[in-house]
Every structure is written in C-alpha cells, then in structure tokens.
Amino acid sequence: MDIILIPLISVIITVLNAYWWAVVIYVLIGWLEQFGIINRYNNFVYGVHTFLFRIVEPALHPIRQLLPNMGGVDLSPAALILVIWFVELMLIQLRVKFPF
C-alpha cells in the first residue's frame, strides 16, 4: 500500500505547491496591470493572465462568496493560499507519521 500512497501524496503536494505559485503569480500580474507597469494588451501577458485566470478563478469564486465585502480589497487569494498551505501541511504530516 505504501508503494502507491507515499508517491501519490508527494505528487499531490507538488501539484498544490505549483497551484500556490499560480495564485501568487495571478495576483502579481493583476497588480502590475492595475498600476500600469505591464501592458495588458501584450499577447504574452494576455495569454499568461488568461491561463492563470482559468485555473485560479474557479477556486477563488466560492471563497469570494463566503468572505464579506471589504470594499476594494480582495482577500480571497490570501484565504486560498492559507487553505493550500494547510492541506500541504496535513499531507506532509500524513506522509511522515503514517508510513503505511
């Protein structure tokens, strides 16, 4: 059983870590676009932003519905990062404590 579960947990942790980075880059690109540092009409920037929007926004939307409206401040990416971090730590503990 451990032949399958330990590598599977490692793969899930790696995917969560990549998703964490996708959320961070999505937020940074949004800020850079808002402040006019990067051009949102550039094909590369538009492609990266669209790709990240499609993979990050489905997770952010339910969190936005749960969080209260804070005016112009969007706390949903921070909440999503905390959830990802919590799940990663749970999986790491599961991998270490229970060597199946």
Side-chain angles (χ1 to χ4, degrees):
M1 192 72 153
D2 60 341
I3 294 173
I4 296 172
L5 287 180
I6 292 176
L8 180 65
I9 290 173
S10 297
V11 168
I12 292 171
I13 290 171
T14 303
V15 169
L16 286 173
N17 193 18
Y19 197 74
W20 184 89
W21 279 107
V23 172
V24 169
I25 294 170
Y26 177 70
V27 169
L28 288 176
I29 286 177
W31 287 348
L32 293 174
E33 285 178 351
Q34 287 297 107
F35 291 121
I37 296 172
I38 58 175
N39 184 4
R40 70 178 66 184
Y41 300 110
N42 182 319
N43 283 335
F44 178 74
V45 173
Y46 179 77
V48 170
H49 187 260
T50 303
F51 171 73
L52 292 174
F53 177 83
R54 289 182 181 178
I55 64 170
V56 171
E57 198 61 35
L60 290 177
H61 183 70
I63 296 172
R64 284 190 184 118
Q65 290 179 342
L66 292 175
L67 292 177
N69 189 1
M70 300 289 287
V73 180
D74 185 15
L75 296 177
S76 59
L80 181 58
I81 286 172
L82 289 174
V83 168
I84 292 170
W85 184 49
F86 178 73
V87 172
E88 278 184 12
L89 290 176
M90 277 188 352
L91 289 172
I92 289 169
Q93 289 298 319
L94 183 67
R95 185 178 62 186
V96 170
K97 292 220 184 226
F98 302 108
F100 302 103

